Amino acid sequence: MKIADVSIARGGVPVLEGVSFQLDPGRALILRGPNGCGKTTLLRTIAGLQPPIAGSITGVEDDIAYAGHSDGIKLTLSVAENLAFWAEVFGSCDIDRAVEAFDLRALLNRPAGALSAGQKRRLGLARLMVTGRRYWVLDEPTVSLDRASVANFASVVQRHLAEGGAALIATHIDLGLEEETLDLSAYRAKLPDLQDFDEAFL
C-alpha cells in the first residue's frame, strides 16, 4: 500500500494535506493524533469510501477490509448467520477460524441484537478474518472491548501480520505490536485566512 501526497476533506473543509507513507505486507502502522485531526476521514478515504482531493492511493485494489466505528453486523441475524453472510460476500466458506479467534463459539446461535457491546465488537472484528483481504484498515477497533479481548485482538492482528497481511490502525492505546507510528498532526491542513478572500465573496 502506497499513500502519496494525499489530501483529504471533511464536509468540504480540508483536514489533512500531503500525507505520504508506505505499508508493506507483514507490517502494522498506527495512526496517532488528537480527536478531530482527520484519522477517520483518512481511513475512509484509503478504504475507498470517499475520494481524496489530491494525491494517490495504490497497491490496495480489492484487497482492503475496513472496520469503522460501526460494527457492520445485522442485528436480526445470529452470530453464525452474520459471519456466513460476510463469508459468502467475500467468496469464502470457512468461518470456524474467525469463531475460534474471537471466542464466539458459545454465541453462534444468539441473535446479534442480543449481544453486549463488547460481543458485538468481537463479531464485527471477526468479519475481518472471513474476507481474505490482506490489508486491514481499522478505526479504533478496541472500543467496547475488555482487557482480555484487547489482548486477544492484538494476538489476532499479530498472526495476520505473520501470515503476510498488513494493518493500518487508528488507536490511542498500546496494542503491544511491533509497529511503526505516524502522527497525523504534522499533516493538518492550513485553513484559509478570511482576510485573503476578495470582499465580493463575503
Side-chain angles (χ1 to χ4, degrees):
M1 173 191 297
K2 186 174 183 180
I3 311 301
D5 292 320
V6 165
S7 297
I8 58 173
R10 180 173 55 237
V13 178
V15 290
L16 295 173
E17 294 178 337
V19 179
S20 296
F21 62 84
Q22 183 165 323
L23 179 61
D24 297 318
R27 303 298 300 168
L29 178 64
I30 305 297
L31 299 181
R32 305 284 193 196
N35 293 335
C37 75
K39 298 187 297 294
T40 293
T41 305
L42 178 61
L43 293 180
R44 286 177 54 82
T45 302
I46 292 171
L49 299 177
Q50 68 178 69
I53 56 177
S56 62
I57 301 168
T58 56
V60 293
E61 294 80 4
D62 296 324
D63 208 7
I64 284 181
Y66 172 71
H69 292 168
S70 172
D71 293 315
I73 60 179
K74 296 182 179 295
L75 299 180
T76 58
L77 298 183
S78 69
V79 168
E81 289 169 335
N82 267 280
L83 289 176
F85 170 80
W86 286 109
E88 184 175 352
V89 167
F90 287 96
S92 174
C93 59
D94 182 18
I95 68 171
D96 286 342
R97 193 166 179 236
V99 169
E100 295 302 328
F102 286 93
D103 192 22
L104 296 171
R105 181 69 61 188
L107 303 173
L108 281 178
N109 295 320
R110 186 176 300 181
L115 300 177
S116 70
Q119 290 168 337
K120 288 176 182 175
R121 175 59 62 163
R122 280 159 46 203
L123 174 56
L125 292 172
R127 292 184 304 118
L128 297 168
M129 296 187 66
V130 303
T131 65
R133 299 292 174 91
R134 181 169 48 164
Y135 292 98
W136 290 359
V137 176
L138 314 175
D139 193 1
E140 299 291 350
T142 60
V143 170
S144 299
L145 295 183
D146 58 29
R147 184 175 299 179
S149 295
V150 169
N152 182 65
F153 167 72
S155 296
V156 170
V157 173
Q158 192 65 62
R159 288 197 297 272
H160 180 64
L161 301 180
E163 294 169 358
L168 178 63
I169 309 173
T171 182
H172 294 285
I173 72 168
D174 182 7
L175 293 174
L177 302 172
E178 294 182 8
E179 79 278 359
E180 303 171 49
T181 62
L182 178 66
D183 189 341
L184 293 180
S185 300
Y187 299 96
R188 277 186 164 178
K190 183 180 182 299
L191 295 177
D193 188 341
L194 291 179
Q195 294 181 353
D196 293 336
F197 283 85
D198 191 295
E199 291 182 354
F201 292 97
L202 297 178

